[in-house]
């Protein structure tokens, strides 16, 4: 068992991380661990989480967090270690199980060893303690106290490294000190204690000039940024170097063959390298194992790591940085060549040219280098056969360019970077592929912080976030902007961010990233990969600039191009190999925002207006027809009438399946794409596609509780239908907006939309549409507590449905009437309506309606005091809602079940159901969470809520009408 705060806040049992993942839960756990063994009052927890402005529900939220932590601990038998006592909470944790305690004890033992004159023991204790850190302290926790507490812990970590460096310097282990301190100095360039020790280590390895440069750079920064001169410790280290009081350690050369001077061809490492922790760990795993018995052969066959990624993602930077980190593991030296596989002039370095350079670095006289490529490669392999060397082959075009440069056997390691996947190396040479993606948001902010200065970045966090967004988290783009900001230190970062935004809107995002140097101009760098494509792949790349993103499936790509899916897949494979696309999951492809902007630029210049218009039309047809097919499967018995669709254009691929599960998965996968498509269709003159697609999205968005998104697409749809002067489209959009307003508690707006909806249907002479609207009005009135008025409108709807013979509408109206009558206390009439509704829904085959009817029936049974019968009804409703993926409906049923368990005297079952409902409401960010938290924290006699499910859930049918 391990309790951890030195990195992500977590608890592990037998290596398994317990499910304590929410930021607030982690914050409560962290505060209890920082006070392990002591009672922490609920008031102190609330103050720590929210500072001087806690919410009114602070104590309740603390109680809920503690309860959730106990629930996570319970399966491991640890719930009893978190005790409630004296108005607070106490977490009993043994020191050996808490990483902070173990680190503190190790540091204390190290100080004692130093006092006793035992630096070896001190170094061992500090190394052991510092190895407990897994990243920045308290990661994943969110609360007012976290920043200060994390800073305090990280200060202890830095102090530990300073103590370790002092001990290692005493032992003459200058190389160890440099490996440890150089990344820390890069991250904390003004921390004088670290810099002082780094100076001494540099001098101890014979690098006096580098030590003096570091001192001068540090002094300049101290004066410029803080207005102070170096303190005594740093000054004294500088004087010791000037007096030559630090003598380099003796260097004992390894025996064995090799050139007198080992080649060291690596380019300079990037100062302030940021992020890429996962990729670095992956590369570290390629190193030969250490710790073998003395005399054992630690060499192993050559390993090739093929680092791939899109242009500008930092492949070379990573390869060079890692190579510098591990260069000491390869005593026979490092070879490096830029193969220029994608350079501007199109002239790649030929294998024989690269081999000549390597052989020269290995001290082969020019006259002894063969002219034949095979003979050159054979000599190269012979020379490397008994050596341990690191070879970096940068910017390779393809496998053929790389293969002659691979050693044959021995202890060498090769790192290859390329924009191509180099699949052939993986298959035939056993290469280990490492693919780089964009930086994470955190890594992007860290990069800017290191380049600009942490204080400058911290002073304008919103501007930093905007710069990260505009640069699409592409390292090259971030470096360009950082260089511009560093060259103009007087520029506020928000002015720079505003300039990027303005240029992106007017000239285009790539113009904002033109550094004036072709080797670092983002557009030019992208062009090197694009120019290598064949005509079909190049056309596909351009057309992808028309897609709204964030990702795209094969049928949509096929529609965009007008080609069959079978012909599109090889083109997608080509773009993926070139890293102009990524395939994050099988069958879905994505390109980041800057590449999308580049593709769109090319499409505007290389493809005609007619070609772009036709491609867009096919793409919108694909999404419109497929979405309507999925919507029919999601709720074939929705109230809304089918939308008239024109036939899809030739070349359009339509996904057509036959089951509800596929429809649910399809909507979940295409969710963000469809929202972007509605907006893009409206913005490019395809208004009919925009409002029809929005109508087909209503069922899914409503059932999943995505009401703000539903409101946005319906607003776009309304404007599109108004531009088309299409009353049917306007009516659908008004109804969708009314549904959103009702869910969000904006009842006056909901009534306004329904009144306009009713006017439009009257003008159209559509009685069924009017019935739908009356049912919607009844729902709003019920939410307002005006239940008798709600009955009036539901009765009107039922009468209109019976006149038209529309049985689906009749069932939904009866379901609503059942709920209203139950709330008015007429339970027998409510029960009769429920039974009629259930029978009609079953006759119609409407599973969603059946689920709602069982839910309603359960509520009526509850009101009649028939608790076990009510629970049986709820279980049937719950099973159907889960099968259909109706998450809000599922949560409402769970809450109702909890109320019934409570009324039946089973408080434990009630809390279990409420907690499950709360988890769903939390995920949906729904306001009902406050009500549920109050129930969970309330007394054992809590009164059941007045659920809206009998009406509100019914409104989640089809196009959002009450059912």
């Amino acid at each position: 068992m391990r309790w951890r705060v030195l990195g992500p806040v977590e608890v592990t049992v037998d290596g398994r991380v317990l499910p304590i993942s929410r930021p607030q839960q982690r914050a409560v756990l962290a505060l209890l661990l920082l006070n392990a063994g002591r009672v922490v009052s609920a008031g102190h927890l609330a103050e720590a989480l929210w500072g001087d402005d806690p919410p009114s529900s602070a104590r309740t939220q603390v109680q809920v967090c503690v309860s959730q932590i106990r629930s996570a601990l319970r399966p491991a038998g640890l719930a009893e270690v978190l005790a409630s006592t004296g108005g607070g909470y106490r977490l009993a944790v043994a020191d050996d199980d808490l990483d902070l305690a173990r680190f503190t004890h190790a540091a204390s033992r190290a100080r004692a060893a130093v006092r006793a004159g035992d630096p070896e023991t001190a170094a061992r204790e500090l190394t052991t303690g510092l190895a407990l850190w897994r990243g920045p302290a308290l990661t994943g926790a969110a609360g007012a106290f976290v920043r200060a507490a994390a800073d305090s812990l990280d200060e202890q970590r830095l102090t530990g490294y300073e103590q370790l460096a002092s001990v290692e310097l005493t032992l003459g282990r200058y190389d160890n000190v440099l490996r440890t301190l150089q990344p820390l100095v890069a991250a904390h360039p003004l921390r004088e204690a670290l810099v002082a020790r780094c100076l001494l280590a540099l001098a101890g390895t014979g690098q006096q000039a580098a030590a003096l440069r570091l001192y001068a750079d540090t002094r300049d920064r101290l004066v410029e940024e803080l207005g102070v001169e170096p303190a005594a410790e740093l000054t004294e280290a500088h004087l010791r170097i000037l007096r030559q009081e630090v003598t380099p350690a003796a260097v004992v050369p390894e025996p064995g063959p090799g050139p007198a001077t080992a080649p060291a061809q690596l380019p300079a490492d990037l100062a302030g390298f940021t992020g890429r922790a996962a990729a670095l760990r992956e590369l570290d795993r390629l190193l030969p194992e250490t710790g073998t018995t003395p005399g054992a052969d630690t060499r192993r066959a050559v390993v090739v790591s093929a680092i791939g990624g899109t242009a500008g993602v930092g492949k070379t930077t990573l390869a060079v940085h890692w190579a510098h980190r591990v260069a000491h593991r390869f005593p026979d030296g490092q070879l490096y060549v830029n193969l220029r596989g994608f350079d501007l002039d199109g002239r790649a370095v030929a294998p024989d040219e690269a081999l000549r350079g390597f052989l020269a670095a290995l001290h082969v006289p020019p006259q002894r280098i063969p002219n034949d490529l095979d003979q050159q490669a054979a000599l190269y392999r012979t020379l490397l056969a008994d050596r341990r060397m690191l070879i970096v082959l940068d910017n390779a075009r393809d496998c053929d360019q790389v293969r002659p440069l691979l050693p044959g056997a021995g202890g060498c390691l090769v790192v290859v970077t390329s924009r191509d996947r180099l699949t052939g190396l993986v298959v035939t040479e056993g290469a280990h592929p490492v693919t780089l993606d964009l930086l994470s948001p955190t890594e992007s902010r860290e990069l800017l912080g290191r380049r600009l200065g942490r204080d400058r970045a911290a002073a304008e966090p919103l501007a930093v976030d905007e710069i990260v967004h505009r640069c699409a988290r592409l390292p090259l783009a971030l470096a360009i902007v950082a260089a511009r900001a560093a060259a103009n230190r007087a520029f506020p970062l928000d002015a720079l961010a505003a300039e990027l935004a303005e240029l992106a809107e007017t000239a285009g995002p790539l113009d904002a990233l033109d550094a004036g140097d072709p080797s670092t101009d983002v557009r030019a760098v992208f062009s090197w990969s694009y120019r290598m494509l064949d005509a079909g792949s190049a056309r596909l790349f351009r057309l992808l600039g028309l897609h709204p993103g964030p990702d795209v499936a094969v049928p949509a790509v096929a529609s965009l191009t007008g080609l069959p899916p079978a012909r599109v897949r090889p083109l997608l494979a080509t773009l993926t190999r070139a890293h102009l696309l990524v395939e994050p999951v099988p069958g879905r492809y994505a390109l980041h925002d800057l590449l999308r902007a580049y593709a769109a630029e090319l499409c505007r210049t290389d493809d005609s207006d007619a070609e772009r218009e036709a491609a867009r039309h096919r793409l919108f047809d694909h999404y419109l027809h497929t979405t309507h097919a999925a919507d029919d499967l999601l709720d074939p018995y929705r109230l809304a009438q089918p939308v008239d669709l024109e036939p899809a254009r030739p070349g359009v691929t339509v996904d057509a399946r036959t089951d509800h599960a596929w429809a649910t998965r399809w909507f979940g996968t295409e969710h963000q794409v469809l929202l972007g498509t509605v907006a893009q269709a409206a913005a490019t003159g395809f208004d009919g596609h925009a409002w029809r697609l929005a109508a087909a999205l209503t069922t899914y968005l409503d059932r999943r509780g995505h009401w703000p998104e539903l409101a946005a697409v319906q607003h776009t749809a309304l404007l599109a239908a108004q531009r088309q002067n299409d009353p049917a489209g306007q009516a659908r959009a008004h109804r969708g907006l009314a549904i959103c307003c009702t869910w969000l508690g904006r009842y006056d707006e909901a009534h306004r939309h329904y009144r306009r909806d009713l006017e439009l249907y009257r003008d159209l002479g559509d009685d069924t549409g009017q019935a739908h609207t009356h049912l919607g009005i009844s729902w709003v009135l019920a939410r307002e507590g005006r239940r008798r008025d709600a009955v009036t409108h539901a009765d009107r709807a039922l009468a209109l449905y019976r006149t038209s013979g529309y049985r689906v509408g009749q069932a939904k109206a009866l379901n609503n009437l059942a709920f209203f009558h139950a709330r008015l206390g007429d339970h027998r009439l409510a029960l009769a309506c429920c039974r009629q509704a259930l029978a009609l829904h079953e006759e119609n085959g409407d599973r969603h309606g059946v689920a709602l009817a069982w839910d309603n029936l359960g509520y009526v049974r509850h009101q009649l005091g028939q608790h076990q019968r009510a629970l049986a009804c709820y279980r049937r409703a719950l099973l159907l809602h889960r099968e259909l993926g109706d998450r809000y409906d599922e949560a409402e049923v769970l809450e109702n079940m909890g109320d019934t368990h409570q009324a039946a005297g089973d408080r434990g079952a009630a809390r279990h159901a409420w907690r499950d409902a709360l988890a769903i409401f939390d995920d949906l960010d729904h306001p009902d969470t406050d009500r549920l938290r109050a129930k969970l924290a309330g007394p054992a006699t809590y009164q059941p809520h007045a659920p809206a499910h009998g009406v509100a859930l019914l409104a989640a049918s089809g196009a959002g009408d009450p059912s």
Side-chain angles (χ1 to χ4, degrees):
M1 176 175 58
R2 290 289 183 263
W3 305 79
R4 295 172 169 173
V5 293
L6 305 182
V9 178
E10 63 185 23
V11 187
T12 65
V13 177
D14 296 329
R16 178 176 58 87
V17 180
L18 299 187
I20 303 172
S21 56
R22 292 182 180 273
Q24 199 173 76
Q25 293 173 9
R26 288 186 171 187
V28 170
L29 176 61
L31 196 62
L32 293 172
L33 287 172
L34 293 176
N35 294 275
R38 298 190 294 271
V39 175
V40 182
S41 70
H44 180 60
L45 280 165
E47 181 181 354
L49 290 175
W50 292 285
D52 297 331
D53 189 26
S56 58
S57 60
R59 283 183 177 270
T60 299
Q61 292 192 47
V62 168
Q63 291 168 351
V64 170
C65 281
V66 171
S67 175
Q68 291 168 336
I69 293 170
R70 282 200 185 109
S71 295
L73 297 173
R74 188 170 290 111
L78 299 175
E80 72 280 357
V81 304
L82 177 51
S84 301
T85 177
Y89 305 96
R90 178 178 178 272
L91 187 57
V93 176
D95 282 356
D96 285 347
D97 294 333
L98 176 60
D99 58 359
L100 177 57
R102 293 168 65 197
F103 170 74
T104 303
H105 292 328
S108 177
R109 289 192 296 270
R111 288 192 294 271
V114 169
R115 289 193 296 271
D118 185 0
E120 281 284 1
T121 298
R124 186 167 56 252
E125 291 288 352
L126 286 166
T127 301
T128 300
L130 290 165
L132 296 167
W133 289 79
R134 297 163 294 113
L138 307 185
T139 299
F145 80 99
V146 169
R147 179 65 180 271
D151 287 347
S152 175
L153 291 173
D154 286 333
E155 174 64 26
Q156 293 181 46
R157 173 175 173 264
L158 290 175
T159 300
Y161 275 116
E162 289 167 356
Q163 293 170 348
L164 176 60
S166 295
V167 173
E168 297 273 25
L169 288 170
T170 300
L171 295 167
R173 298 172 181 167
Y174 301 122
D175 286 331
N176 287 357
V177 175
L178 279 183
R179 280 193 297 272
T180 301
L181 291 195
Q182 281 181 325
L184 293 174
V185 169
H188 305 277
L190 298 182
R191 190 175 178 95
E192 295 182 58
L194 286 175
V195 177
R197 288 158 176 78
C198 195
L199 291 180
L200 298 173
L202 284 168
T205 57
Q207 302 178 69
Q208 283 84 358
L212 295 175
R213 282 197 303 273
L214 176 59
Y215 174 79
D217 291 343
T218 304
R219 179 185 177 279
D220 290 346
R221 293 188 69 162
L222 286 167
V223 172
E224 180 182 351
E225 297 184 25
L226 303 181
V228 298
E229 289 286 343
E233 183 177 14
L234 183 55
T235 302
E236 177 61 27
H238 181 227
L239 289 173
R240 286 186 63 191
I241 294 167
L242 291 175
R243 295 168 184 158
Q244 298 186 352
E245 294 176 359
V246 183
T247 57
V251 178
V252 180
E254 276 198 14
T261 304
Q265 295 185 334
L266 293 177
D269 193 6
L270 176 68
F273 180 88
T274 301
R276 301 302 190 196
L280 290 170
R281 285 195 299 271
E282 196 169 348
L283 290 168
D284 285 341
R285 285 196 289 270
L286 302 178
L287 292 170
E289 293 84 356
T290 57
T292 53
T293 57
D297 184 6
T298 60
R299 302 176 183 182
R300 67 187 210 177
V302 60
V303 175
V304 180
S305 172
I307 301 176
T310 192
V313 82
K315 300 179 292 296
T316 297
T317 302
L318 171 69
V320 171
H321 175 74
W322 182 77
H324 276 284
R325 276 187 18 169
V326 302
H328 64 283
R329 303 283 296 272
F330 299 90
D332 294 316
Q334 316 98 43
L335 298 174
Y336 171 89
V337 63
N338 181 356
L339 295 173
R340 304 186 183 281
F342 296 86
D343 259 16
L344 278 171
D345 57 12
R347 183 187 172 276
V349 174
D352 62 342
E353 182 181 351
L355 279 172
R356 285 181 178 276
F358 282 174
L359 292 171
L362 294 169
H363 301 278
V364 178
Q367 63 273 19
R368 290 189 52 205
I369 297 177
N371 293 322
D372 179 75
L373 174 62
D374 290 340
Q375 293 179 9
Q376 291 173 355
L379 176 58
Y380 170 69
R381 291 193 296 270
T382 300
L383 291 173
L384 296 187
D386 294 318
R387 294 178 181 170
R388 283 187 290 171
M389 297 193 75
L390 178 62
I391 300 106
V392 179
L393 308 178
D394 191 18
N395 198 20
R397 181 185 58 213
D398 52 35
C399 299
D400 290 338
Q401 191 184 23
V402 169
R403 283 195 177 96
L405 308 178
L406 300 180
C412 297
L413 189 147
V414 182
V415 177
V416 186
T417 77
S418 178
R419 299 184 196 181
D420 189 279
R421 282 189 169 182
L422 300 181
T423 307
L425 290 185
V426 177
V427 174
T428 62
E429 312 296 334
H432 297 258
V434 179
T435 300
L436 290 191
D437 200 351
L438 303 173
L439 293 174
S440 70
T442 300
E443 289 173 330
S444 301
R445 289 189 288 270
E446 179 71 13
L447 185 152
L448 290 175
R450 291 195 174 190
R451 298 283 185 102
L452 303 177
R454 295 185 182 279
D455 292 343
R456 187 180 180 190
E460 298 186 73
L462 295 180
V464 169
D465 287 345
E466 177 67 12
I467 291 170
V468 169
H469 168 66
R470 294 295 172 182
C471 292
R473 296 184 282 118
L474 184 70
L476 174 60
L478 289 165
I480 291 170
V481 175
R484 174 163 164 72
N488 299 275
R489 300 188 64 83
F491 282 14
L493 295 183
D494 61 354
L496 185 58
E499 179 185 51
L500 286 174
E502 182 181 355
L503 282 170
E505 296 299 326
T506 55
L510 299 179
D511 286 335
L513 301 170
D514 185 351
D517 178 354
S519 66
T520 58
D521 174 23
V522 173
R523 182 186 284 107
V525 170
F526 288 165
S527 74
W528 305 343
S529 294
Y530 173 74
R531 291 185 318 178
M532 304 294 290
L533 299 174
D534 60 84
S537 301
R539 175 177 178 263
L540 172 55
F541 178 72
R542 297 194 303 272
L543 291 179
L544 285 170
L546 302 177
H547 190 273
D551 55 8
V552 60
V554 172
V557 178
S559 300
L560 189 62
T561 60
L563 298 173
R567 289 185 58 190
V568 162
R569 288 190 177 92
L571 304 179
L572 288 167
T574 298
L575 294 179
T576 305
R577 284 196 301 271
H579 287 288
L580 290 169
L581 276 183
V582 294
E583 190 178 8
V585 296
R588 295 196 70 81
Y589 299 85
L591 64 169
H592 62 71
D593 290 346
L594 294 180
L595 268 174
R596 190 184 308 281
Y598 178 60
E601 278 188 5
L602 293 172
C603 193
R604 285 193 298 272
T605 57
D606 293 7
D607 298 300
S608 68
D609 292 344
E611 287 173 313
R612 290 195 301 275
E613 184 84 357
R616 281 200 179 98
H617 203 143
R618 290 191 301 268
L619 181 69
F620 296 153
D621 274 1
H622 160 77
Y623 284 122
L624 180 60
H625 283 265
T626 305
T627 303
H628 272 271
D631 191 33
D632 286 340
L633 294 170
L634 209 59
D635 189 0
Y637 301 97
R638 60 187 181 276
L639 289 177
Q641 303 95 320
V643 172
D644 293 330
L645 298 180
E646 294 182 359
R649 283 195 160 195
V652 173
T653 300
V654 178
D655 291 336
R657 305 292 177 90
T658 58
D659 59 287
H660 180 281
W662 169 81
T664 301
R665 288 194 304 271
W666 190 83
F667 273 115
T669 302
E670 300 289 353
H671 178 163
Q672 294 299 325
V673 176
L674 295 172
L675 297 179
T677 302
V678 172
Q680 191 181 82
T684 54
F686 289 85
D687 288 326
H689 285 77
W691 76 256
R692 288 177 173 84
L693 184 55
L697 275 169
T698 305
T699 304
Y700 171 76
L701 293 176
D702 188 11
R703 287 190 184 178
R704 302 294 289 182
H706 297 303
W707 299 301
E709 291 179 348
L710 179 57
V713 296
Q714 294 297 345
H715 180 70
T716 300
L718 180 58
L719 295 176
Q722 287 172 343
R723 285 193 295 268
Q724 279 204 315
N725 194 27
D726 189 319
Q730 294 176 49
R732 283 181 176 273
H734 277 296
R735 187 186 307 153
L737 286 166
I739 293 166
C740 302
C741 291
T742 306
W743 279 120
L744 298 172
R746 303 201 297 262
Y747 301 130
D748 289 343
E749 290 181 54
H751 280 299
R752 284 199 298 273
H753 285 296
Y754 273 131
R755 282 196 297 271
R756 181 57 183 145
D757 196 38
L758 204 55
E759 291 170 2
L760 288 163
Y761 280 125
R762 283 173 181 160
D763 292 343
L764 289 168
D766 186 344
D767 291 340
T768 306
Q770 292 178 61
H772 301 339
T773 306
H774 280 298
L775 209 54
I777 293 170
S778 75
W779 169 37
V780 185
L781 292 168
R783 298 276 290 189
E784 293 178 300
R786 298 162 59 187
R787 285 181 279 276
R788 294 200 180 278
D789 292 336
V791 168
T792 299
H793 281 275
D795 276 333
R796 289 181 191 171
L798 181 59
L800 285 166
Y801 288 137
R802 282 175 171 164
T803 299
S804 65
Y806 188 48
R807 295 171 67 83
V808 171
Q810 293 173 42
K812 294 178 188 294
L814 284 164
N815 227 352
N816 277 21
L817 283 167
F819 176 77
F820 301 152
H821 287 309
R823 293 302 303 137
L824 290 168
D826 194 341
H827 298 127
R828 295 194 181 280
L829 183 55
L831 197 58
C833 289
C834 272
R835 287 169 173 161
Q836 292 179 62
L838 183 59
L840 278 172
H841 281 310
E842 288 177 339
E843 288 177 19
N844 295 332
D846 183 355
R847 297 173 71 212
H848 184 242
V850 169
L852 296 176
W854 279 115
D855 190 11
N856 240 1
L857 193 56
Y859 180 71
V860 176
R861 294 294 186 191
H862 175 107
Q863 296 301 314
L864 290 170
Q866 300 168 0
H867 298 134
Q868 293 308 312
R869 296 183 73 177
L871 288 170
C873 294
Y874 286 143
R875 290 188 189 103
R876 297 185 73 161
L878 188 63
L879 180 62
L880 283 168
H881 283 315
R882 283 175 172 166
E883 289 177 359
L884 296 171
D886 304 333
R887 300 199 69 219
Y888 180 87
D889 297 356
E890 178 187 346
E892 273 280 9
V893 175
L894 284 165
E895 184 176 5
N896 295 336
M897 289 179 73
D899 294 344
T900 302
H901 281 302
Q902 173 83 342
D906 191 344
R907 175 71 175 173
R911 290 178 61 81
H912 186 273
W914 287 336
R915 277 197 297 266
D916 288 347
L918 179 61
I920 296 175
F921 283 138
D922 271 337
D923 195 37
L924 296 176
D925 195 24
H926 196 275
D928 286 355
T929 54
D930 292 338
R931 184 180 70 234
L932 271 167
R933 285 195 173 93
K935 287 184 180 184
L936 285 163
T941 57
Y942 194 92
Q943 188 69 21
H945 81 295
H949 81 277
V951 178
L953 274 182
L954 305 180
S957 68
D961 297 315
S963 49

